[in-house]
Amino acid sequence: VRELAGRTAFVTGAGRGIGAAAAHRLGEAGAAVAVVDRDEAGAEEIVKQLLDKGIPAIALGCDITDEREVEQAVRRVSAELGGPDILVNNAGVLRDNLLHKTSVDDWDTVMTVHLRGAFLCCRAVAAHMTTNGYGRIVNVSSVSALGNRGQANYSAAKAGIQGLTRTLAIELGPKGVTVNAIGPGFIKTEMTAATAERIGVSAEELQRRSAEITPVRRVGEPADVAELIAFLASDRSSFITGQTIYVDGGRRL
Ligand SMILES: NC(=O)c1ccc[n+]([C@@H]2O[C@H](COP(=O)([O-])OP(=O)(O)OC[C@H]3O[C@@H](n4cnc5c(N)ncnc54)[C@H](O)[C@@H]3O)[C@@H](O)[C@H]2O)c1
């Protein structure tokens, strides 16, 4: 069903991984898609795939931590594709370390990309959504928000995303905009492959270990997360707002 026909989605970090899967899933449901990523070549590659499927899409090389770049990107999307009606705040980075080894730079980088980035995109896109009286914002948090060794910065940022979500749900609900967060568990992407490399095991070995302690006995695929994003981006979820929904195969850290 093309239930998102006529909608435009602005997906950050969509040049690969979970964001790319979300771009495909939203496009398959009928949305036009703005593929936003700091990695412009990655964004262009995903747009090529979307256009091949007949999905209207544009690539935007944009660093979500830069206020001017975000404002410009949203203006361009609004002019070329309309909306945006759907915002997926997905771009993210890791700078994992135990507290005593965490530099101020690593702390600031993680806070800036996740929190300042999500704030800037919400502010810019919400202006269009409230004018149109309709919007869906999906913020990507993580099971790490509940606490995870070696991720003080990331855990704090992902918990912050949940507070941002609850507050914007209150502020924007009366204007027809719902705001929810999702909390993926272990998902097979370049992010978790990089974690494996950092701790000195193969990506497959880390996946095997993770599957073993997950109730459904497997790790997640980007498509598992994209499915929930598509539901929260649709009209079907109109009475759900301010929530964090975990997509983790039953695993809590
Ligand atoms: N993979 C997992 O297991 C997992 C689990 C929980 C949460 N998450 C979250 O899901 C989201 C996507 O993760 P992924 O695994 O697909 O990661 P990934 O590293 O594969 O992709 C992240 C994308 O974000 C882009 N990006 C990073 N900083 C940016 C910036 N400042 N401006 C614009 N783009 C930027 C990168 O270029 C990259 O294309 C992240 O927010 C991550 O924290 C992932």
Side-chain angles (χ1 to χ4, degrees), residues 12-19 36-39 62-65 89-94 113-114 140-143 154 158 183-192:
T12 72
R16 68 183 201 197
I18 293 169
V36 182
D37 206 295
R38 187 172 54 183
D39 169 16
C62 167
D63 179 346
I64 58 155
T65 67
N89 276 311
N90 164 81
V93 293
L94 293 180
V113 173
H114 294 272
V140 180
S141 178
S142 168
V143 289
Y154 185 75
K158 290 305 202 186
F186 189 110
I187 310 298
K188 219 189 281 178
T189 68
E190 288 184 51
M191 182 178 272
T192 43

Side-chain angles (χ1 to χ4, degrees), residues 94-103 106-107 110 148-155 198-199:
L94 293 180
R95 292 291 184 275
D96 292 357
N97 238 325
L98 293 175
L99 177 65
H100 69 282
K101 292 185 195 159
T102 300
S103 69
D106 285 350
W107 178 269
V110 170
N148 192 29
R149 180 181 155 85
Q151 291 196 312
N153 51 6
Y154 185 75
S155 172
R198 195 179 60 79
I199 65 174

Side-chain angles (χ1 to χ4, degrees), residues 68-224:
R68 197 183 47 85
E69 285 186 30
V70 169
E71 299 280 342
Q72 269 177 1
V74 173
R75 262 200 305 277
R76 206 187 126 199
V77 172
S78 185
E80 294 183 26
L81 299 176
D85 316 285
I86 297 162
L87 167 63
V88 183
N89 276 311
N90 164 81
V93 293
L94 293 180
R95 292 291 184 275
D96 292 357
N97 238 325
L98 293 175
L99 177 65
H100 69 282
K101 292 185 195 159
T102 300
S103 69
V104 169
D105 259 9
D106 285 350
W107 178 269
D108 287 347
T109 297
V110 170
M111 289 302 150
T112 306
V113 173
H114 294 272
L115 289 177
R116 178 187 166 108
F119 154 66
L120 289 173
C121 293
C122 283
R123 196 181 59 175
V125 171
H128 293 272
M129 291 176 168
T130 55
T131 301
N132 298 335
Y134 180 89
R136 295 280 180 269
I137 298 176
V138 182
N139 296 321
V140 180
S141 178
S142 168
V143 289
S144 295
L146 304 169
N148 192 29
R149 180 181 155 85
Q151 291 196 312
N153 51 6
Y154 185 75
S155 172
K158 290 305 202 186
I161 287 288
Q162 298 187 16
L164 176 73
T165 298
R166 295 188 64 84
T167 297
L168 296 189
I170 294 165
E171 292 187 14
L172 301 176
K175 316 269 188 197
V177 180
T178 66
V179 188
N180 290 289
I182 61 168
F186 189 110
I187 310 298
K188 219 189 281 178
T189 68
E190 288 184 51
M191 182 178 272
T192 43
T195 297
E197 191 176 330
R198 195 179 60 79
I199 65 174
V201 303
S202 71
E204 294 70 29
E205 173 59 14
L206 191 63
Q207 287 162 23
R208 198 191 57 72
R209 288 183 197 173
S210 177
E212 218 169 61
I213 56 167
T214 300
V216 303
R217 293 291 184 272
R218 68 172 178 93
V219 296
E221 302 285 342
D224 291 314

